[in-house]
Amino acid sequence: MSETLENLSSETRQFPPPEALAADANVKADAYEAANADRLAFWAEQADRLTWAKKWDQVLDWSNPPFAKWFIGGELNIAYNCVDRHVEAGQGEKVAIHWEGEPGDTRTITYAELLTLVSQAANTLTDLGITAGDRVAIYMPMIPEAAVAMLACARVGATHSVVFGGFSVDALSTRIKDADAKLVITADGGYRRGKPSALKPTVDEAVAQCPSIENVLVVRRTGQDVAWTDKDKWWHETVEQASPEHKAQPFDSEHPLFILYTSGTTGKPKGILHTTGGYLTQASYTQWAVFDLKPETDVYWCTADIGWVTGHSYIVYGPLSNGATQVMYEGTPDTPGRDRFWQIVDKYKVSILYTAPTLIRTMMKWGDDIPAGYDLSSLRILGSVGEPINPEAWMWYRENIGRERTPIVDTWWQTETGSMMISPLPGVTATKPGSAMTPLPGISADVVDDTAQSVPNGGGGFLVLRDPWPSMLRTIWGDDKRFIDTYWSRFGAGAESSSAGASSDWIYFAGDGAKKDEDGALWLLGRVDDVMLISGHNISTTEVESALVSHPSVAESAVVGATDPTTGQAIVAFVIPRGNVDTEGEAGEKLNVDLRNHVAKTLGPIAKPRQIMLVPELPKTRSGKIMRRLLKDVAENRSLGDVTTLQDSAVMDLISKGMGGSKSED
Ligand code: 6R9
């Protein structure tokens, strides 16, 4: 018997690209043809968008799968590509970063100034004994120095490991130890939710447990009191005093650029390793192609944190390698008010906005009138990343932010893929609300059943990637075996049951469920670990959540399968109502019944939730992904598992308290 995912929902709305945008788009339909005709030649052409100190001899070496090498023999410096070459091309006065601090302080950094900062930081790293191949941990708020620190590491060939500025002592020290880092770059603190939030005390505690750390470089941002040891150096007393002259040396295309840890659901975090030439090729190309980036005129803003892969690829390496002008914002979207994002878009005339479904759904909850008060006419492209975007959230984004003019690009990718893999092209694709549509040119994604057979259109299963791609992870830091087990042993030549075949038979397992609709467009259905088994049917959490969000009273929802004596598992839904919805007493009970019926009507009786809880918030990771595992604990009356990556630990108390009734306190 082959196991597939049910395909319950259908979507008929479709939005072709605006004509003027399509006519002037950076990438047109012929890119798919070119990549299909010769995939390696296509990627070589994209690699040529970069400046190489030495040209590669071979595009791809896949002779030792699953360990890929791209642009073998080539040499380049990433920081040179992101900074120096724009200054050399006469763009020194162009703004690289419009930085907006949460309290309202601002900085404008041109490419020439960025070059000075990165050169000074590179000289300081060298003074502190950092050489090519050393690991540097970065634990910082969203300030320009975070990007400068990453670029300075890249410039001297040190491998950076950025750790979210919200993570605990334990999370930070585990990551420092795993990578055996020599230096930490941090700050006294940053501003979040209207207050300074300290970082240095966490670093102090972590460093006390990590003998490999020789120095700690500290940016002064908040002016908070800090404890000081002889390992600590102020940024302004070192970097800002250093020589602004620094000549970037080229590194091998496969030189390690960064490690970024993903937590996963079990076990210790995986250090995902990315290297130089292939990574920058795809990050840079996708930034330009998927956002139709026109560096001369666009103002781009990605709302992610640099502690997330989105911040690496689409705040630092993608935009800067293209010479873009971008906005960088330090704080939260509701400080000082819930209109902060739209104020920023209006102030800087942002033309390309890249954000996450969690934020879109939060904005829906806060109400349409907030963005309605702002001039958002500068926007021309909207992006989404991080989770499946529910069709109704997509429509809300299109109508209330894009004002029905701007294409939306829903971009599927992972820390492991390094850059975007499945996404519409804004000048080519007629988009469907909620679908990431098709693999980008040069990428081969597919949906397969449990025997690795491609499912037909209309079918659901597992998302896989069939051919190596330039920005793919190279391994898990220090653990090749886990790399093979996690990503390559489920299907194809890497699977235990198969006799290792040709190198082209290796199949990458992404860990996500997906389906193909009748036209072959791809719909992402969430992590396969979250799939529910209801009376013998595999049902994705995403489809039920999207059905709930399509009800006018719902802003956001999370669905889990809880053990059930009759159906094996039963659907328990946690729902955040929209801002103005009455959930008191009878109104709340009626809403509850309505919602269960609404799901049954939209997807069929099999998907009808057993229980719906109205809650004020949902547990999320720092990058905004819903932590269904914790909700499952609540639904099955267990004590909570690991909560270390939870963004706001008070949320679970609120939800557990609410389990008795069905009221929302918001
Ligand atoms: C970039 C990033 C990766 C996981 C991925 C998937 C989910 C990301 C998505 C999406 C549906 C999208 N995901 N983008 N699901 N549609 N457009 O988020 O990396 O933090 O490693 O997470 O996020 O489940 O497997 P990362």
Side-chain angles (χ1 to χ4, degrees):
M1 189 193 81
S2 91
E3 226 182 76
T4 50
L5 262 179
E6 299 289 325
N7 173 7
L8 299 175
S9 64
S10 65
E11 175 62 64
T12 51
R13 293 169 289 194
Q14 198 157 9
F15 300 92
E19 263 169 46
L21 194 148
D24 193 33
N26 287 348
V27 179
K28 307 222 163 86
D30 60 354
Y32 294 103
E33 288 152 36
N36 279 342
D38 190 340
R39 190 170 58 91
L40 296 185
F42 171 82
W43 283 119
E45 196 184 319
Q46 309 322 322
D48 257 334
R49 299 179 65 253
L50 307 176
T51 305
W52 296 74
K54 179 170 172 279
K55 178 112 176 170
W56 58 89
D57 312 310
Q58 190 188 343
V59 176
L60 169 68
D61 177 358
W62 190 231
S63 60
N64 179 30
F67 301 95
K69 291 184 181 155
W70 282 85
F71 308 112
I72 300 102
E75 291 180 9
L76 73 168
N77 186 287
I78 292 229
Y80 175 85
N81 273 277
C82 291
V83 189
D84 308 42
R85 66 170 177 155
H86 309 310
V87 178
E88 287 172 13
Q91 302 289 306
E93 296 313 306
K94 186 174 176 190
V95 175
I97 300 175
H98 287 292
W99 179 77
E100 172 105 357
E102 198 190 72
D105 50 337
T106 60
R107 283 165 71 184
T108 308
I109 299 174
T110 63
Y111 273 94
E113 287 164 344
L114 189 61
L115 177 58
T116 300
L117 289 167
V118 173
S119 300
Q120 288 180 310
N123 282 322
T124 303
L125 293 183
T126 306
D127 290 346
L128 294 176
I130 299 297
T131 56
D134 285 343
R135 270 82 57 206
V136 174
I138 298 180
Y139 184 75
M140 292 186 97
M142 283 291 290
I143 56 178
E145 285 81 0
V148 171
M150 291 163 74
L151 290 166
C153 287
R155 194 174 186 90
V156 302
T159 304
H160 59 69
S161 161
V162 181
V163 180
F164 254 130
F167 279 174
S168 63
V169 171
D170 196 43
L172 177 58
S173 62
T174 314
R175 286 161 176 75
I176 291 174
K177 282 180 200 155
D178 187 73
D180 203 21
K182 280 172 75 173
L183 171 72
V184 184
I185 308 180
T186 188
D188 49 0
Y191 287 92
R192 279 193 79 76
R193 302 212 154 76
K195 308 190 283 282
S197 156
L199 292 175
K200 180 79 169 34
T202 307
V203 173
D204 292 342
E205 264 192 74
V207 168
Q209 304 167 22
C210 298
S212 65
I213 296 295
E214 294 168 3
N215 292 288
V216 179
L217 196 51
V218 190
V219 177
R220 190 160 65 193
R221 161 69 183 134
T222 57
Q224 287 161 289
D225 281 339
V226 288
W228 211 247
T229 75
D230 55 8
K231 290 186 177 178
D232 297 333
K233 313 274 177 306
W234 280 116
W235 179 279
H236 57 269
E237 290 175 358
T238 52
V239 176
E240 288 173 18
Q241 312 304 323
S243 159
E245 305 296 326
H246 184 276
K247 186 147 174 33
Q249 300 301 316
F251 293 100
D252 188 272
S253 179
E254 284 299 331
H255 188 76
L257 174 64
F258 68 85
I259 304 168
L260 185 61
Y261 288 85
T262 62
S263 39
T265 41
T266 49
K268 70 168 190 158
K270 302 188 283 282
I272 304 301
L273 178 70
H274 283 287
T275 59
T276 298
Y279 171 77
L280 194 64
T281 294
Q282 195 176 331
S284 191
Y285 170 70
T286 51
Q287 174 83 43
W288 177 78
V290 173
F291 295 124
D292 188 39
L293 179 76
K294 307 281 195 277
E296 316 77 44
T297 45
D298 275 318
V299 178
Y300 165 80
W301 181 25
C302 168
T303 68
D305 189 285
I306 47 133
W308 186 23
V309 71
T310 305
H312 285 56
S313 301
Y314 299 106
I315 293 178
V316 180
Y317 298 113
L320 296 176
S321 63
N322 281 288
T325 293
Q326 70 176 318
V327 172
M328 181 177 183
Y329 172 56
E330 178 184 33
T332 50
D334 52 354
T335 309
R338 291 176 165 183
D339 57 350
R340 187 67 186 266
F341 270 27
W342 316 121
Q343 218 175 46
I344 292 175
V345 168
D346 192 358
K347 174 174 173 185
Y348 294 101
K349 302 291 168 229
V350 171
S351 57
I352 304 171
L353 177 69
Y354 194 30
T355 192
T358 178
L359 276 157
I360 298 164
R361 293 183 304 243
T362 302
M363 303 291 178
M364 281 170 74
K365 180 176 75 172
W366 289 345
D368 307 358
D369 51 318
I370 299 176
Y374 285 87
D375 177 8
L376 306 180
S377 60
S378 55
L379 289 170
R380 64 179 200 94
I381 306 241
L382 301 175
S384 174
V385 60
E387 284 182 297
I389 176 165
N390 320 100
E392 285 320 311
W394 194 103
M395 289 302 296
W396 187 91
Y397 197 25
R398 176 178 160 84
E399 286 163 8
N400 293 275
I401 309 306
R403 311 262 156 100
E404 304 193 37
R405 289 177 298 106
T406 69
I408 296 179
V409 287
D410 172 15
T411 62
W412 179 89
W413 59 292
Q414 312 177 294
T415 304
E416 291 87 340
T417 70
S419 39
M420 296 167 184
M421 302 292 284
I422 306 174
S423 168
L425 286 175
V428 180
T429 317
T431 52
K432 300 181 183 189
S435 171
M437 300 305 295
T438 52
L440 287 168
I443 300 297
S444 57
D446 196 4
V447 182
V448 301
D449 64 18
D450 59 347
T451 62
Q453 298 304 307
S454 194
V455 304
N457 286 354
F462 305 96
L463 182 73
V464 296
L465 303 168
R466 289 192 184 276
D467 293 311
W469 62 100
S471 65
M472 68 195 281
L473 76 167
R474 298 306 193 255
T475 190
I476 293 174
W477 181 258
D479 202 343
D480 288 348
K481 182 174 180 301
R482 192 171 178 205
F483 169 61
I484 296 172
D485 290 349
T486 309
Y487 304 108
W488 305 95
S489 62
R490 178 108 184 209
F491 300 113
E496 230 151 70
S497 57
S498 85
S499 52
S503 57
S504 61
D505 295 341
W506 284 74
I507 298 177
Y508 174 89
F509 170 53
D512 281 347
K515 69 178 190 188
K516 294 180 191 167
D517 70 13
E518 297 306 331
D519 304 325
L522 298 174
W523 295 74
L524 277 301
L525 298 178
R527 304 295 295 167
V528 293
D529 303 339
D530 289 335
V531 168
M532 305 176 288
L533 187 60
I534 317 291
S535 306
H537 296 267
N538 284 300
I539 296 180
S540 91
T541 52
T542 304
E543 290 207 305
V544 181
E545 288 162 5
S546 289
L548 284 162
V549 174
S550 74
H551 188 281
S553 298
V554 176
E556 179 146 38
S557 82
V559 158
V560 298
T563 313
D564 185 272
T566 45
T567 52
Q569 283 188 329
I571 300 177
V572 177
F574 297 78
V575 167
I576 305 182
R578 289 219 197 183
N580 49 2
V581 173
D582 182 11
T583 57
E584 293 299 314
E586 266 177 44
E589 272 148 44
K590 178 167 180 305
L591 177 60
N592 208 305
V593 175
D594 281 356
L595 291 179
R596 294 179 62 231
N597 291 335
H598 175 74
V599 176
K601 206 170 122 226
T602 314
L603 300 180
I606 185 82
K608 185 172 184 171
R610 179 184 76 187
Q611 196 181 1
I612 290 189
M613 322 292 308
L614 299 180
V615 293
E617 262 311 332
L618 291 170
K620 289 179 188 160
T621 65
R622 289 273 304 185
S623 66
K625 295 192 211 299
I626 297 172
M627 294 177 78
R628 291 178 190 75
R629 179 174 53 79
L630 295 180
L631 294 172
K632 201 168 155 149
D633 289 343
V634 171
E636 295 180 342
N637 296 315
R638 261 194 314 278
S639 59
L640 294 185
D642 184 10
V643 291
T644 46
T645 53
L646 194 61
Q647 184 184 27
D648 175 1
S649 54
V651 166
M652 287 316 294
D653 296 339
L654 280 175
I655 292 172
S656 309
K657 248 194 276 160
M659 278 303 282
S662 58
K663 290 216 184 87
S664 157
E665 261 94 55
D666 199 8

